């Protein structure tokens, strides 16, 4: 049966991905927002190559609402260096992931990357002070 979330396994089937996933599992849990960021990049590539027609198709494919697919794809509105930081964020070894997609929504709504970067730095500093 397919998951009600985006079908990660369907979109990322390759020997390298499986090997990489096993290595990540040993090192800790890859943050969910990291997986979602990678998924958004993958899906945008599929739209660009016309393998998927539009974001409505993404919603149907993932069996989620259009609003949820838009939230996911809005991660692509983040500055490139912020996206990279999310993709390279360290694994979570215990407890909850320190950064969530929901917590990034206010950043994705800001068009100016300079302001986004400032908000990102503030978010990271708050996160570190909680640790």
């Amino acid at each position: 049966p397919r998951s009600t979330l985006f079908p990660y396994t369907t979109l990322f089937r390759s020997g390298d991905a499986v090997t990489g996933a096993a290595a990540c599992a040993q090192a800790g849990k890859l943050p969910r927002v990291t997986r979602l960021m990678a998924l958004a990049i993958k899906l945008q590539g599929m739209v660009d190559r016309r393998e998927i027609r539009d974001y409505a198709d993404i919603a149907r494919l993932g069996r989620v609402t259009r609003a949820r697919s838009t939230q996911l794809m809005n991660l692509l509105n983040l500055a490139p260096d912020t996206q990279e930081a999310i993709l390279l964020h360290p694994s979570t070894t215990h407890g909850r992931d320190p950064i969530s997609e929901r917590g990034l929504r206010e950043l994705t709504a800001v068009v100016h990357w300079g302001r986004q970067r400032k908000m990102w730095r503030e978010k990271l500093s708050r996160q570190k002070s909680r640790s």
Side-chain angles (χ1 to χ4, degrees):
R2 288 178 61 171
S3 169
T4 56
L5 298 175
F6 284 99
Y8 296 109
T9 54
T10 303
L11 295 174
F12 295 108
R13 286 189 198 256
S14 73
D16 294 337
V18 172
T19 304
C24 287
Q26 292 174 356
K29 186 178 87 176
L30 198 59
R32 185 166 198 265
V33 71
T34 299
R35 295 189 314 264
L36 292 174
M37 182 82 248
L39 181 60
I41 292 167
K42 173 75 172 180
L43 291 171
Q44 185 60 53
M46 293 174 77
V47 170
D48 293 345
R49 289 187 306 274
R50 300 177 195 265
E51 295 170 14
I52 298 175
R53 187 177 44 213
D54 54 23
Y55 287 5
D57 277 352
I58 290 172
R60 281 188 292 279
L61 174 68
R63 295 183 181 182
V64 296
T65 64
R66 288 183 183 197
R68 181 64 184 137
S69 67
T70 298
Q71 289 170 343
L72 171 70
M73 299 308 286
N74 279 346
L75 290 172
L76 299 174
N77 294 338
L78 294 169
D81 53 317
T82 305
Q83 290 183 30
E84 181 179 20
I86 290 169
L87 289 169
L88 298 175
H89 203 276
S91 296
T92 304
T93 55
H94 63 280
R96 290 183 160 207
D97 292 336
I99 300 170
S100 69
E101 178 272 329
R102 185 179 203 160
L104 293 174
R105 289 182 195 164
E106 65 178 317
L107 271 75
T108 63
V110 176
V111 179
H112 191 275
W113 283 351
R115 290 187 196 117
Q116 265 188 19
R117 288 179 178 113
K118 181 179 179 191
M119 292 169 71
W120 173 248
R121 285 190 300 271
E122 290 169 358
K123 183 174 280 300
L124 290 178
S125 68
R126 283 192 307 268
Q127 171 194 336
K128 287 180 184 178
S129 67
R130 289 182 198 154
S131 301

